[in-house]
Amino acid sequence: HAVRTLGGLDGLINNAGTIDPIAPLTQSDAEMWRRAVEVNLTAPALLMKAVLPELIRSEGRIVNISTGAAIKPMPGWSAYCASKAGLLHLTA
């Protein structure tokens, strides 16, 4: 849509995130865990895939917002830490 209406795309900022579920893995809700991975990792990856051809053409940039929890796990934050670590590695 941006390419059609504005003539191009210069960047993408992936800034969405969800921290839930906050619980030990054995007690966390599986659907909430799946949703955290979807919001924190899958959605940014699919957005990046969609815009990369245009950003390569325009020499644009992608900015992925992450967290220190991507490299320093926090008790009870397994879905958040794992998905943000995945985003960190995807970015690299």
Side-chain angles (χ1 to χ4, degrees):
H1 180 76
V3 173
R4 284 191 318 271
T5 59
L6 302 173
L9 186 64
D10 296 319
L12 169 67
I13 299 173
N14 282 313
N15 191 39
T18 184
I19 197 166
D20 290 324
I22 298 176
L25 183 60
T26 57
Q27 298 170 14
S28 64
D29 178 80
E31 180 57 26
M32 290 179 72
W33 218 97
R34 184 202 60 75
R35 178 78 174 134
V37 172
E38 187 176 86
V39 169
N40 297 338
L41 178 58
T42 304
L46 294 176
L47 285 167
M48 289 167 34
K49 181 179 183 205
V51 301
L52 268 171
E54 179 61 23
L55 292 180
I56 290 168
R57 188 196 66 69
S58 71
E59 297 183 3
R61 298 288 183 261
I62 296 172
V63 176
N64 289 321
I65 306 300
S66 191
T67 173
I71 56 172
K72 185 177 185 238
M74 304 290 292
W77 292 17
S78 62
Y80 184 72
C81 294
S83 58
K84 288 296 189 172
L87 182 61
L88 179 68
H89 284 274
L90 179 62
T91 302

